[in-house]
Amino acid sequence: MRITTSIFAVTFVAGLATVNFFNHFYAEKALQNDAEQLLYQFHDALLEAHEILDSLPTPENFQCSKTDIQKLAMLAFEHPAVRLIGVLHGDKQDCASEEIHFDLANYHEQVLKPVKHKLMDKVALATVSHGDKHVDLLMVRSHGDSRYFASINPFMVNYLTEFVCMNCLEYEFVIGSLPKLEFRGRAMEEKSFIEYSASRFEESIRVELNLKGTEAFYNYYKELSWASTVLFSVLFASIISIFAYKLLTIRQSLDRIIKDALKFKEFTPFYQPIVNSSTGEIVGVEMLARWVHKDGTVVPPYQFIPFAEDSGLIIAITEQLIQKTVIDIKSLGWDNTDKFVSINIVPEHLKDDQLYQLIMQLTKEYQIPATSLSLEITERMKIDDLEEARNRLEAFYQQGITLKLDDAGTGYGGFSYIQELGISTLKIDKMFIDTIARDDIKSSVLESIISFAKSSGLGMIAEGVEEQHQVDYLKQHNVFLIQGYIYAKPMPIAELKQWIDARGNKESLR
Ligand code: C2E
Ligand code: CA
Ligand code: CA
């Protein structure tokens, strides 16, 4: 549980970091969306104003009667984008949708001024300032000496600035009129950190929005995504933790199942013959572990050996296998021959004398020579203390038990194991045997392994030999001992006996 909690914590933090990184893109996208929405709202407001002004009768005929004014008020009310609608006449009989004190003189003066921004035929834009703060944007429709005007609501920029900060956003609308009309918000005080531009052109009105924000403005968007960040990280960490928890419990239960299998002695030796190809004689076998369930199903080593090696259970498994193996040696009648059974050991076995004591005790008990056993150690596993291993091996050598180097040429032990451990035989891995008669660079490795073994006086067993041409090639290179499917697969003791018997008959027939 503690491990799972730690995994949760680590993945949670990793999740936060990752998502925080992606929040950068999220913030940019969110800001762009808001900017575009702003642009569309502003553009729509202009279109709406244009439509309203178009719907009114010619301004000369608008007489500012009470019903006329009510009509304007109604229109303004119905269109939130337009705040005020009014009419200005050359002779100043002006009126607007809002009846309450409204000084139209200001409008009158400025809207009639020549600096207007022509938008379309008879339609123009103008700005009217009230003091230095408030500026109204007007759309004007002229007819002779009279004009309608609609004041565009000072858009929704405020909704952007209000929740962020007053001086950290700068926006500018550029309206495609003649001359261009630029309508900008408050200038930002800091340097801009992020910028965005978008434009829209529809129904002859072109509007462009340029947005600049300070870091604080940008960060606001980044922080918006914090909730999702945390949520994502919790989710991410939970999934990984559940997965890890499952994996851990599987391992724990595998540990328990193997211990049960040990109790019920389910680990069973299978034997694969090693044959001298020049005489056809079986010189020995390699003992390979199988886990045979009560119902007879056979579990291959790759499903439990790696775990057993990791967890240290391999020691107990090997013990169980050797106990059965010595009985099998006896029943084969090999106690008076020079045939051997190879046993796979791991570096762990060379850290104390437990294995040695067991072999001594069993060979004595069953009256078999120690030389009928042989050891195999793989080059793929690291031996931490070569000197200690060598010292442990010395005791075996004293008894005539030799050591073979398994998977020779594939691991990192290689040369140092051969030199320091007193190896007597190399087991050439299937990987190299497979290169025979193939255009493969590894085939030159096979040749050099063979010539190295010869010059060093090492014996050789070729493993994983499946085809006759491989046997022939090896024979030509003086490698005679063959272990492979070409002769037999690993099999239980009863089958091995039958195999040997059948072969013996064949041989005697020859
Ligand atoms: P290994 O020690 O290299 O054993 C040789 C493997 O090659 C065996 O696989 C054998 O069945 C297979 N083999 C032999 N000839 C041929 C062939 O012609 N073609 C093919 N395709 N394969 C062939 P197995 O029995 O499945 O064992 C796999 C590995 O499990 C062994 O490789 C060994 O590393 C490990 N193992 C098996 N039993 C034990 C054990 O008791 N203790 C330890 N520590 N490891 C073991
Ligand atoms: Ca082996
Ligand atoms: Ca091997």
Side-chain angles (χ1 to χ4, degrees):
M1 205 59 211
R2 265 224 325 266
I3 300 175
T4 319
T5 317
S6 318
I7 291 173
F8 182 88
V10 170
T11 42
F12 178 71
V13 172
L16 281 186
T18 319
V19 183
N20 199 36
F21 173 73
F22 283 110
N23 276 351
H24 167 80
F25 303 106
Y26 171 88
E28 267 182 1
K29 191 81 205 133
L31 181 73
Q32 285 169 14
N33 283 345
D34 276 353
E36 259 164 45
Q37 200 184 345
L38 196 67
L39 175 78
Y40 272 62
Q41 277 173 342
F42 182 63
H43 194 267
D44 284 348
L46 289 177
L47 290 180
E48 219 171 303
H50 184 233
E51 224 170 84
I52 293 171
L53 295 188
D54 250 8
S55 74
L56 290 166
T58 47
E60 294 103 317
N61 302 335
F62 200 92
Q63 291 310 319
C64 288
S65 69
K66 209 171 166 89
T67 39
D68 283 341
I69 292 171
Q70 264 173 0
K71 197 178 166 192
L72 292 184
M74 204 57 206
L75 274 174
F77 177 75
E78 281 167 359
H79 297 87
V82 169
R83 198 173 55 180
L84 188 74
I85 304 170
V87 60
L88 304 168
H89 292 104
D91 55 5
K92 294 199 180 183
Q93 289 165 327
D94 309 333
C95 58
S97 55
E98 282 179 46
E99 282 171 286
I100 30 155
H101 299 292
F102 214 91
D103 183 11
L104 285 172
N106 201 12
Y107 280 81
H108 203 94
E109 209 171 281
Q110 295 188 55
V111 169
L112 293 178
K113 269 207 299 202
V115 191
K116 271 191 290 185
H117 302 264
K118 191 168 180 288
L119 201 57
M120 281 163 270
D121 193 27
K122 290 188 183 153
V123 179
L125 290 164
T127 49
V128 176
S129 57
H130 309 272
D132 52 339
K133 277 203 186 109
H134 189 83
V135 178
D136 266 354
L137 172 66
L138 302 185
M139 184 171 280
V140 185
R141 179 181 152 203
S142 306
H143 209 270
D145 236 4
S146 303
R147 22 192 102 13
Y148 283 118
F149 67 89
S151 135
I152 315 290
N153 223 346
F155 13 108
M156 294 77 183
V157 176
N158 287 348
Y159 97 98
L160 272 185
T161 44
E162 264 164 22
F163 57 51
V164 189
C165 43
M166 292 309 280
N167 294 319
C168 63
L169 171 73
E170 189 180 293
Y171 63 86
E172 179 188 54
F173 285 102
V174 181
I175 307 164
S177 49
L178 279 172
K180 268 190 183 155
L181 179 63
E182 290 180 16
F183 205 79
R184 64 181 76 221
R186 168 186 307 110
M188 197 164 77
E189 285 163 1
E190 277 174 62
K191 210 169 110 233
S192 78
F193 181 78
I194 181 160
E195 302 192 358
Y196 184 69
S197 292
S199 64
R200 188 189 188 198
F201 182 51
E202 225 177 281
E203 312 242 350
S204 4
I205 301 176
R206 180 185 169 81
V207 182
E208 196 182 299
L209 168 65
N210 300 315
L211 207 64
K212 287 180 186 172
T214 61
E215 194 171 356
F217 176 73
Y218 169 74
N219 281 343
Y220 173 81
Y221 281 88
K222 237 177 121 170
E223 276 155 25
L224 274 185
S225 56
W226 256 103
S228 49
T229 302
V230 173
L231 207 74
F232 172 84
S233 304
V234 167
L235 212 76
F236 178 67
S238 305
I239 291 170
I240 299 286
S241 307
I242 289 170
F243 195 68
Y245 179 74
K246 279 250 155 30
L247 218 72
L248 283 170
T249 45
I250 286 172
R251 276 184 80 85
Q252 274 166 9
S253 56
L254 190 55
D255 190 274
R256 225 185 28 247
I257 298 171
I258 289 184
K259 282 179 180 154
D260 282 349
L262 278 165
K263 204 162 72 191
F264 297 113
K265 303 204 173 355
E266 291 180 356
F267 294 100
T268 308
F270 272 42
Y271 302 98
Q272 186 177 28
I274 299 166
V275 175
N276 183 332
S277 66
S278 61
T279 62
E281 188 198 0
I282 178 168
V283 297
V285 291
E286 175 176 4
M287 186 271 279
L288 293 153
R290 297 291 184 269
W291 177 353
V292 183
H293 286 308
K294 275 189 235 85
D295 63 2
T297 42
V298 177
V299 184
Y302 74 88
Q303 286 186 17
F304 62 95
I305 291 283
F307 174 78
E309 285 173 349
D310 271 8
S311 60
L313 284 168
I314 190 67
I315 302 293
I317 293 175
T318 310
E319 269 183 34
Q320 188 160 100
L321 291 166
I322 295 176
Q323 274 163 352
K324 295 183 180 180
T325 298
V326 289
I327 298 173
D328 291 342
I329 292 174
K330 194 86 186 167
S331 75
L332 280 167
W334 280 10
D335 46 343
N336 285 318
T337 65
D338 53 6
K339 300 192 198 309
F340 62 87
V341 177
S342 247
I343 289 158
N344 291 287
I345 62 162
V346 293
E348 191 80 5
H349 279 123
L350 300 176
K351 287 190 173 156
D352 53 37
D353 68 349
Q354 211 178 312
L355 178 71
Y356 176 76
Q357 294 301 345
L358 177 76
I359 289 179
M360 287 306 103
Q361 178 230 312
L362 289 172
T363 47
K364 197 167 157 210
E365 189 181 331
Y366 289 90
Q367 293 285 303
I368 55 171
T371 47
S372 54
L373 289 173
S374 167
L375 305 177
E376 278 185 25
I377 195 152
T378 175
E379 198 187 289
R380 292 182 217 235
M381 285 189 183
K382 190 168 180 344
I383 297 175
D384 297 328
D385 189 342
L386 275 175
E387 205 181 317
E388 192 198 3
R390 169 73 207 216
N391 292 337
R392 298 276 172 214
L393 284 165
E394 208 52 55
F396 290 99
Y397 298 159
Q398 294 288 325
Q399 301 296 329
I401 300 174
T402 60
L403 179 66
K404 298 179 170 61
L405 186 65
D406 206 353
D407 313 314
T410 67
Y412 54 85
F415 198 60
S416 65
Y417 283 14
I418 293 165
Q419 267 193 324
E420 314 224 356
L421 294 181
I423 303 282
S424 68
T425 302
L426 298 188
K427 293 196 77 173
I428 305 170
D429 196 78
K430 181 173 187 297
M431 179 200 287
F432 302 111
I433 303 303
D434 287 344
T435 65
I436 294 175
R438 256 192 233 160
D439 199 13
D440 190 322
I441 27 167
K442 277 194 244 96
S443 64
S444 65
V445 179
L446 174 63
E447 275 176 34
S448 50
I449 292 174
I450 293 173
S451 66
F452 167 77
K454 276 187 214 159
S455 63
S456 313
L458 293 165
M460 280 176 277
I461 297 173
E463 208 171 39
V465 179
E466 294 181 347
E467 290 164 42
Q468 187 57 43
H469 76 89
Q470 296 170 327
V471 178
D472 297 340
Y473 173 96
L474 291 161
K475 209 185 266 180
Q476 277 161 25
H477 288 77
N478 292 332
V479 180
F480 301 108
L481 301 190
I482 307 289
Q483 178 185 345
Y485 291 180
I486 180 129
Y487 291 117
K489 290 188 176 181
M491 53 197 147
I493 183 67
E495 262 177 57
L496 176 69
K497 281 182 187 164
Q498 289 171 7
W499 186 87
I500 292 172
D501 286 349
R503 224 178 142 70
N505 293 340
K506 253 189 258 161
E507 267 165 45
S508 55
L509 282 176
R510 238 186 240 155

Short mmCIF file of all heavy atoms in Angstrom, two decimals, residues 286 288 344 376 406-407 427 463, ligand 2:
data_model
loop_
_atom_site.label_atom_id
_atom_site.label_comp_id
_atom_site.label_asym_id
_atom_site.label_seq_id
_atom_site.Cartn_x
_atom_site.Cartn_y
_atom_site.Cartn_z
N GLU A 286 20.31 -31.92 -20.56
CA GLU A 286 20.16 -30.71 -19.76
C GLU A 286 18.84 -30.83 -19.03
O GLU A 286 17.82 -31.17 -19.63
CB GLU A 286 20.18 -29.44 -20.61
CG GLU A 286 19.90 -28.20 -19.73
CD GLU A 286 20.00 -26.85 -20.46
OE1 GLU A 286 20.21 -26.84 -21.69
OE2 GLU A 286 19.85 -25.83 -19.77
N LEU A 288 15.75 -29.18 -17.53
CA LEU A 288 15.03 -27.90 -17.68
C LEU A 288 13.76 -27.94 -16.85
O LEU A 288 13.01 -28.91 -16.89
CB LEU A 288 14.73 -27.65 -19.15
CG LEU A 288 15.99 -27.42 -20.00
CD1 LEU A 288 15.78 -27.82 -21.44
CD2 LEU A 288 16.43 -25.96 -19.89
N ASN A 344 20.86 -25.95 -14.39
CA ASN A 344 21.01 -24.50 -14.52
C ASN A 344 21.09 -23.85 -13.15
O ASN A 344 20.19 -24.01 -12.33
CB ASN A 344 19.82 -23.91 -15.29
CG ASN A 344 19.84 -24.31 -16.75
OD1 ASN A 344 20.65 -23.82 -17.52
ND2 ASN A 344 18.97 -25.26 -17.11
N GLU A 376 25.44 -25.37 -15.14
CA GLU A 376 25.42 -24.39 -16.23
C GLU A 376 25.12 -23.04 -15.64
O GLU A 376 24.19 -22.90 -14.85
CB GLU A 376 24.28 -24.71 -17.21
CG GLU A 376 24.62 -25.76 -18.19
CD GLU A 376 23.52 -25.97 -19.23
OE1 GLU A 376 22.73 -25.04 -19.49
OE2 GLU A 376 23.47 -27.08 -19.78
N ASP A 406 26.57 -21.04 -20.22
CA ASP A 406 25.34 -21.06 -21.01
C ASP A 406 25.22 -19.76 -21.81
O ASP A 406 25.73 -18.71 -21.40
CB ASP A 406 24.15 -21.17 -20.05
CG ASP A 406 22.94 -21.80 -20.71
OD1 ASP A 406 22.98 -22.02 -21.93
OD2 ASP A 406 21.97 -22.07 -19.98
N ASP A 407 24.55 -19.84 -22.94
CA ASP A 407 24.27 -18.67 -23.78
C ASP A 407 25.55 -17.93 -24.15
O ASP A 407 25.58 -16.70 -24.23
CB ASP A 407 23.30 -17.69 -23.08
CG ASP A 407 22.10 -18.41 -22.49
OD1 ASP A 407 21.53 -19.25 -23.19
OD2 ASP A 407 21.75 -18.14 -21.32
N LYS A 427 28.34 -23.37 -24.12
CA LYS A 427 27.12 -23.75 -24.80
C LYS A 427 26.81 -22.63 -25.79
O LYS A 427 26.51 -21.50 -25.40
CB LYS A 427 25.98 -23.93 -23.80
CG LYS A 427 26.23 -25.12 -22.88
CD LYS A 427 24.98 -25.56 -22.17
CE LYS A 427 24.07 -26.36 -23.07
NZ LYS A 427 22.93 -26.92 -22.33
N GLU A 463 23.58 -25.40 -29.12
CA GLU A 463 22.22 -25.46 -28.60
C GLU A 463 21.23 -24.92 -29.64
O GLU A 463 21.56 -24.02 -30.41
CB GLU A 463 22.17 -24.58 -27.35
CG GLU A 463 21.14 -25.01 -26.35
CD GLU A 463 21.33 -24.22 -25.06
OE1 GLU A 463 21.63 -23.02 -25.11
OE2 GLU A 463 21.18 -24.83 -24.00
CA CA B 2 20.94 -23.93 -19.85
#
